[in-house]
Amino acid sequence: MTRHVVVEPRGLASVKLRILVPVLSVLAALVVGGLFLAITGENPLDVYRKMADVAFGSANGVSNTLISATPLILTGVAAALAFKMLVWNIGGEGQLIMGAVFASGIAIWLGPAAPSWIAIPAVIVAGGVGGAVWASVAAIPRVYLKTNEIITTLMLNFIALSFMNFLVFGSSSPWRDSAVSTFPTGQPIPTNARLPTFFQRLDISIFIAFGLAIAAWWLVGKTRWGFAVQVVGDSPETAKYAGISVPNKILVVFLLSGAAAGFAGALYVAGPIGALEPRSLDLGLGFTGIIVAALAGLHLLAVIPIAILMGALNNSGPALQSIGVPTSTITMLQGAILIFAVGGEFFIRHRIRLPRKESTPQEIPDGVEVA
Amino acid sequence: MTSKRWRLFAVVLVVFAMVAAACSSDDAADDTTTTTAGEAPAEVLKVAFVYIGPVSDKGWSWSHDQGAKALKAALGDAVEITTLENIPEGADSERVFNDLAEEGNKLIFGTSFGYMDPMLAAAESHPDTVFMHATGYKQSDNMGNYFGAAEEGRYLSGMAAGAATVTNKIGYVAAFPIPEVLRGINAFTLGVREVNPDAEVQVVWTSTWFDPPKEKTAAESLLDAGADVIAMHQDSAAPGQAAEAAGAKWVGYNTDMTEFAPTAWLTAAIWDWGPFYIKTAQQVIDGTWVTEAYYGNMADGMVALAPFGESVDGATRTLIGEREAEIIDGTFSVLPDPIVDQDGAERPLGNIFEMDYFVEGVVGSPTG
């Protein structure tokens, strides 16, 4: 008798399941990663203890983890916001860079005389505007000419990166530090535009990132406008039938997504870096944001803990090297955790049954049968 | 619904907190055991090295790692060495330097330019730790700099390139438009034109220190444009592999990379950091270390010329050998003062650490 495994989509997963599955996924990843570590001659417990200790075990570690998480929260929001609407904005990287360009530009333009209560909000708003302007380059053709935004946003990342490199490495722009002739570096922004630190190296940008993520969640989940956006995301046809202006919604979501990434750039520049510094910004934060959004199941609040987890994973790399774990092993381990977490998503969306008797697939019209 | 979502968020945070608490308490226990166990008679100096690329690059980072190994070999149990590779430059690296200092490293070498400001910040918050930064210029009471006159080796490798080219077009895969790189290109070009006044050096910028695919593409574009010798500044062997595939010649950098392109290989300016690392660690152990900006050269052995490839003929080898001897005894300066710039105008050499122009014979822009 053939045994059947039935894989079928499940409706709304329970909250219990939605917590249990990611937790089990990460545990499974740690077990598999642990086996791999054991094979390569490391003690998995030592490695995991070191990872957790570096990320959360000291005030300094917690501060560093949150610093690394801050931009990821916002690039994660940027990706989740767009993807929810089926807008494939993978230009978070470029929008972050342009946000940083605008933010540092306004800080330098305002100069050291501007009081902080003007300079800091101006820098943050400018970052959002910069990200939105850069997103609009892809968003307007997407909405009115139906161009493929995956390609345009991807390409615009490289243009933004080259533009930033031009401002600092290739020209005598105001963004370049004119006092240093040995190596082109970013012009430090005036201290009155810098975000104050309050805990080790951690500055208030973490709260701004939390606030913006919560605001995005509220906007999409709790407002009439957000409801319309969700309808468009679920079914553009239904939305059109209901009299919702689909192009308008897509455009606004696209720009908000760009703004979120731009905020990330602004906070990074006004926070830990203090200048438009290409070497500090070219870290793939926009791309990592896409992973964060995917792991968070596009949930705008779940983005926060996931970004913190990613920040912790990122920071654990150098510390693991210091106990003698090779970089390639660390990359493998980080990859395993991500793959398992994404894989767990499958079990949230699908149910797997092992029917005892001859199953009748007709009863489950959506079911996929695997022999 | 709202409260449920908040609960999800809260649960995840709680789990993090629990894991953190469990692990940190464990580690605290570990720390005490290691301090009691580590009862070495003489105090062991913990030394850390931070590399921008992988040690396996066989280039810049590998050369420093060879220095770290030489340090271990020379001082043995008196030093305990930690090496970190693939650490990106920029603000984020401050965390890495802070962590190393907090783990008890008393001497930390950072081997890439972009670590400068982060190291300076870490040095300020860890006044008992000595920070040594390669290629930079910022100092403090507990942070010094070191580097070497690669331009001396570059000049000699340029002579090999000038003798090898048939098309009189030499391609140079350049990293960033900074004085160090410009110095190298200029010295190389002067070496090329000493033996071959008609040859030109075409520069392409990659804005990378280690990005093999990009550096390979840059080399290929130069080969397509007619270059038959490729020189480079980055830490990978990729330009050499492109030259090998195209039947062209190659001048490397950092280390002897013959094995990657045995036919293309001419020679290279290479580094030997070991003696300097041993000297610095000994100074820290003896308590005699003071802030300085050390600039090594061929005379003290920090810079050398790699073994020649088979295609370098005897006459060229002799010529280069004579120049090398003059450089070492101080009778020949690879960057003359005054110097002829890209436009053919004579100008004062100026401060070579702030060099921002190309010499005659270079095709390309010195601003990137």
Side-chain angles (χ1 to χ4, degrees), chain A residues 119-134:
Chain A
I120 290 176
V123 161
I124 294 168
V125 169
V129 170
V133 164
W134 201 243

Side-chain angles (χ1 to χ4, degrees), chain A residues 173-215:
Chain A
S173 77
W175 281 269
R176 176 170 172 169
D177 189 349
S178 52
V180 180
S181 57
T182 45
F183 193 105
T185 46
Q187 171 72 37
I189 67 172
T191 39
N192 52 17
R194 295 287 299 272
L195 298 167
T197 55
F198 66 96
F199 176 62
Q200 305 276 338
R201 292 168 58 229
L202 186 63
D203 57 61
I204 58 168
S205 59
I206 184 74
F207 297 120
I208 300 172
F210 279 177
L212 288 168
I214 293 166

Side-chain angles (χ1 to χ4, degrees), chain B residues 29 60 79 95-97 99 115 124 126 138 146 154 171 186 204 206 225 279 309 315 320 339 363:
Chain B
W60 176 256
V79 289
R95 179 191 78 231
V96 176
F97 289 106
D99 287 350
Y115 296 147
E124 194 177 322
H126 299 91
K138 289 189 183 170
Y146 63 104
R154 296 253 191 218
N186 287 341
V204 168
T206 60
K279 186 186 84 176
I320 293 173
I339 195 165
V363 181

Side-chain angles (χ1 to χ4, degrees), chain B residues 68-155:
Chain B
K69 289 194 165 78
L71 170 61
K72 183 68 190 169
L75 299 186
D77 291 340
V79 289
E80 185 186 326
I81 291 175
T82 301
T83 59
L84 303 187
E85 58 182 352
N86 281 331
I87 305 299
E89 299 180 306
D92 196 43
S93 65
E94 186 182 335
R95 179 191 78 231
V96 176
F97 289 106
N98 281 330
D99 287 350
L100 285 171
E102 270 147 39
E103 281 171 14
N105 292 289
K106 290 296 169 204
L107 173 59
I108 300 175
F109 292 96
T111 64
S112 195
F113 182 86
Y115 296 147
M116 183 164 63
D117 289 321
M119 283 182 82
L120 197 65
E124 194 177 322
S125 45
H126 299 91
D128 295 337
T129 302
V130 172
F131 289 81
M132 285 299 288
H133 180 223
T135 78
Y137 57 89
K138 289 189 183 170
Q139 299 182 338
S140 71
D141 285 347
N142 59 324
M143 176 165 155
N145 326 107
Y146 63 104
F147 202 23
E151 54 270 21
E152 296 181 346
R154 296 253 191 218
Y155 185 97

Side-chain angles (χ1 to χ4, degrees), chain A:
Chain A
M1 192 182 93
T2 12
R3 202 67 183 282
H4 287 96
V5 179
V6 177
V7 179
E8 60 193 15
R10 129 188 12 252
L12 270 179
S14 69
V15 172
K16 193 174 128 196
L17 194 75
R18 282 162 61 188
I19 296 168
L20 200 64
V21 168
V23 170
L24 288 178
S25 304
V26 172
L27 284 178
L30 293 179
V31 170
V32 171
L35 284 174
F36 185 82
L37 286 168
I39 291 168
T40 54
E42 315 288 341
N43 180 342
L45 288 178
D46 283 352
V47 171
Y48 292 145
R49 187 183 300 153
K50 183 79 183 176
M51 285 174 86
D53 186 43
V54 159
F56 303 106
S58 65
N60 189 38
V62 171
S63 148
N64 285 330
T65 297
L66 293 177
I67 289 172
S68 296
T70 304
L72 298 179
I73 291 173
L74 289 169
T75 52
V77 165
L81 202 57
F83 292 2
K84 261 179 183 302
M85 275 282 280
L86 310 180
V87 171
W88 305 108
N89 174 18
I90 52 172
E93 187 76 16
Q95 290 142 18
L96 178 146
I97 289 172
M98 293 310 274
V101 167
F102 273 55
S104 50
I106 200 107
I108 292 162
W109 183 73
L110 283 172
S116 287
W117 62 270
I118 291 178
I120 290 176
V123 161
I124 294 168
V125 169
V129 170
V133 164
W134 201 243
S136 74
V137 177
I140 291 168
R142 157 72 167 85
V143 172
Y144 298 106
L145 301 170
K146 303 260 183 298
T147 55
N148 182 335
E149 75 275 19
I150 297 181
I151 293 168
T152 52
T153 53
L154 180 67
M155 291 304 171
L156 284 166
N157 288 335
F158 298 110
I159 298 173
L161 182 63
S162 298
F163 182 63
M164 172 172 68
N165 283 338
F166 167 75
L167 289 178
V168 178
F169 294 132
S171 67
S172 313
S173 77
W175 281 269
R176 176 170 172 169
D177 189 349
S178 52
V180 180
S181 57
T182 45
F183 193 105
T185 46
Q187 171 72 37
I189 67 172
T191 39
N192 52 17
R194 295 287 299 272
L195 298 167
T197 55
F198 66 96
F199 176 62
Q200 305 276 338
R201 292 168 58 229
L202 186 63
D203 57 61
I204 58 168
S205 59
I206 184 74
F207 297 120
I208 300 172
F210 279 177
L212 288 168
I214 293 166
W217 165 79
W218 177 81
L219 194 65
V220 172
K222 300 289 152 199
T223 63
R224 190 187 159 86
W225 179 84
F227 179 73
V229 162
Q230 290 195 3
V231 174
V232 175
D234 287 342
S235 162
E237 291 306 314
T238 311
K240 211 181 286 175
Y241 187 70
I244 296 169
S245 163
V246 175
N248 171 286
K249 292 288 177 295
I250 290 178
L251 184 65
V252 174
V253 164
F254 211 143
L255 297 186
L256 285 177
S257 167
F263 285 132
L267 294 179
Y268 213 44
V269 160
I273 315 180
L276 184 73
E277 186 45 68
R279 281 176 302 275
S280 302
L281 283 160
D282 185 13
L283 296 173
L285 295 166
F287 293 120
T288 312
I290 295 172
I291 300 174
V292 168
L295 292 182
L298 306 188
H299 191 291
L300 292 166
L301 286 183
V303 159
I304 295 174
I306 297 292
I308 293 172
L309 184 65
M310 290 294 286
L313 267 180
N314 171 58
N315 293 1
S316 67
L320 289 187
Q321 282 193 52
S322 75
I323 58 166
V325 184
T327 21
S328 46
T329 307
I330 298 161
T331 313
M332 192 290 309
L333 194 62
Q334 292 173 338
I337 293 174
L338 297 183
I339 288 171
F340 273 84
V342 173
E345 199 42 26
F346 178 82
F347 295 99
I348 295 180
R349 292 177 194 279
H350 298 87
R351 186 198 317 260
I352 295 179
R353 292 190 303 134
L354 289 166
R356 284 263 161 226
K357 295 174 195 161
E358 290 282 323
S359 81
T360 45
Q362 293 92 324
E363 285 173 14
I364 324 130
D366 287 348
V368 180
E369 205 169 331
V370 186

